[in-house]
Amino acid sequence: MPKVTITKEFIKRVQTPKTKSKEQYFDTELIGFMIEIKSTGSKIYYYRYRENSKQKMQRIGTVDELSLEDAKMRYTELKETLSKPTIQEPQ
């Protein structure tokens, strides 16, 4: 899983994988922000994080649905929401 600076230019020029079904690229600036390039040509933004020692991924949207700026804003919202510790009620 390569680390790159995800930019509009990178998204335009990145090639679809030829020998794999997908390739994931992680942003060097925003930890957990990634883009998945599928062999079908689709490009999907995700937020990858850990919860209770388990790795999880939250789909943000496709390149066709969201601009890079909107995807980064949604990433920030998800990071704030998903990283808040849950408070358990006393029993």
Side-chain angles (χ1 to χ4, degrees), residues 11-29:
I11 293 169
K12 284 180 187 177
R13 68 177 164 78
V14 67
Q15 299 291 316
T16 57
K18 303 291 185 222
T19 59
K20 302 185 219 177
S21 63
K22 64 183 177 183
E23 183 72 64
Q24 297 173 331
Y25 296 91
F26 288 87
D27 191 64
T28 55
E29 296 172 8

Side-chain angles (χ1 to χ4, degrees), residues 30-43:
L30 300 175
I31 297 172
F33 182 69
M34 60 175 275
I35 188 166
E36 182 177 88
I37 313 299
K38 295 193 175 189
S39 60
T40 60
S42 64
K43 299 174 182 181

